Amino acid sequence: MDLGLNGKVVLISGSYRGTGAGTAKVMAQEGAIVAVHGHQEGQAAAVAEEIRVDGGQALEVHGNLLTTDGVESLVSAVEQECGPVDVLVNNYGAPAKTNWADPAELWHEAWETNVVSGVRLTQRVLPSMKARGWGRIIFLGTVGTERPGKENPDYYSSKAALPVTVRSLAKDLRGTGVTANLVSPGIIATDEVREMLERRASRQNIEGWEEVQRWAIENMTPNLTGRIPEPHDIGRYVAFLASEAAWHITGADFKADGGSIDT
């Protein structure tokens, strides 16, 4: 199916690694012009170069998403090199490794990182999208908000705000041709996650990714498919929501968790 992304300008925050990088590669394979974002200059260069070597179009950009000036500089660089942003993927987010004994003031950082950074980017690109009558805003959340543990309460509570944020945004965008959606994955086999799972499984004398994956699903991260998705698997989901085919989907929270919340 042609997703209609050929030539579209796609900005993905935090795409220098992990799920963001996997999504950037999928978008480029669909013919999009991808702005690969890092927080510091040069941080996203390797991913952008990998996309270009594979025949795709990519631009390495950088900027601090926690300030208005940083967002302005970032988006302006994309516009100058590629044109206005058609698809914004608010992928950036991170836990702060807090617990309930930490000062409440630390929770502000989680809100800035996981919610407000995406709001800043969204506000910056929306006027152009509305003027052209077409655009896609996609946030990345987590199904962990429905089954949080006792650790990282600031992270999960901030991420839990995203379904409401996206629903409100979708209503604000009524009839504009711009949609807003949320993708909420479960565990993803990023390099860091694979390393962690392999390290823990090795204590049980379990080696090889297929066996490690099976052990992890049985003992740590149960789901209904029996597999742990790679970053590009989540990227395909994001690409569909960004596509022309998904024009009638907005305000939704799509669970990409293999049914883990129902196990």
Side-chain angles (χ1 to χ4, degrees), residues 17-69:
R17 59 181 286 185
T19 305
T23 302
K25 294 170 186 177
V26 170
M27 291 289 194
Q29 290 166 0
E30 292 294 331
I33 304 166
V34 184
V36 185
H37 166 256
H39 303 294
Q40 294 88 37
E41 185 174 2
Q43 194 173 37
V47 173
E49 179 61 17
E50 185 177 347
I51 289 172
R52 290 191 291 266
V53 168
D54 288 340
Q57 301 180 75
L59 169 71
E60 184 268 326
V61 293
H62 66 279
N64 182 1
L65 305 183
L66 302 182
T67 69
T68 300
D69 288 344

Side-chain angles (χ1 to χ4, degrees), residues 144-232:
T145 58
E146 299 192 26
R147 297 178 66 177
K150 66 178 183 178
E151 300 297 328
N152 300 317
D154 61 330
Y155 171 73
Y156 289 115
S157 60
S158 61
K159 283 288 191 179
L162 293 181
V164 176
T165 300
V166 165
R167 186 64 178 167
S168 175
L169 177 59
K171 290 184 176 183
D172 186 68
L173 295 172
R174 181 195 302 265
T176 62
V178 184
T179 64
N181 290 292
L182 173 66
V183 174
S184 295
I187 190 171
I188 306 169
T190 61
D191 291 342
E192 293 81 5
V193 168
R194 285 183 65 139
E195 180 183 353
M196 178 270 292
L197 293 178
E198 288 171 343
R199 184 173 63 253
R200 293 186 180 182
S202 69
R203 299 168 187 161
Q204 308 295 323
N205 297 316
I206 298 170
E207 304 290 341
W209 176 241
E210 291 303 319
E211 291 302 317
V212 169
Q213 187 174 202
R214 187 176 298 111
W215 172 83
I217 290 170
E218 290 175 354
N219 295 278
M220 296 176 60
T221 59
N223 66 40
L224 304 180
T225 65
R227 294 172 58 190
I228 299 175
E230 304 284 336
H232 66 264

Side-chain angles (χ1 to χ4, degrees), residues 114-137:
N114 298 302
V115 182
V116 181
S117 65
V119 171
R120 286 193 185 93
L121 281 167
T122 298
Q123 290 177 329
R124 176 57 179 80
V125 302
L126 270 181
S128 177
M129 289 183 180
K130 289 179 179 179
R132 288 175 286 126
W134 199 96
R136 302 285 186 265
I137 306 291

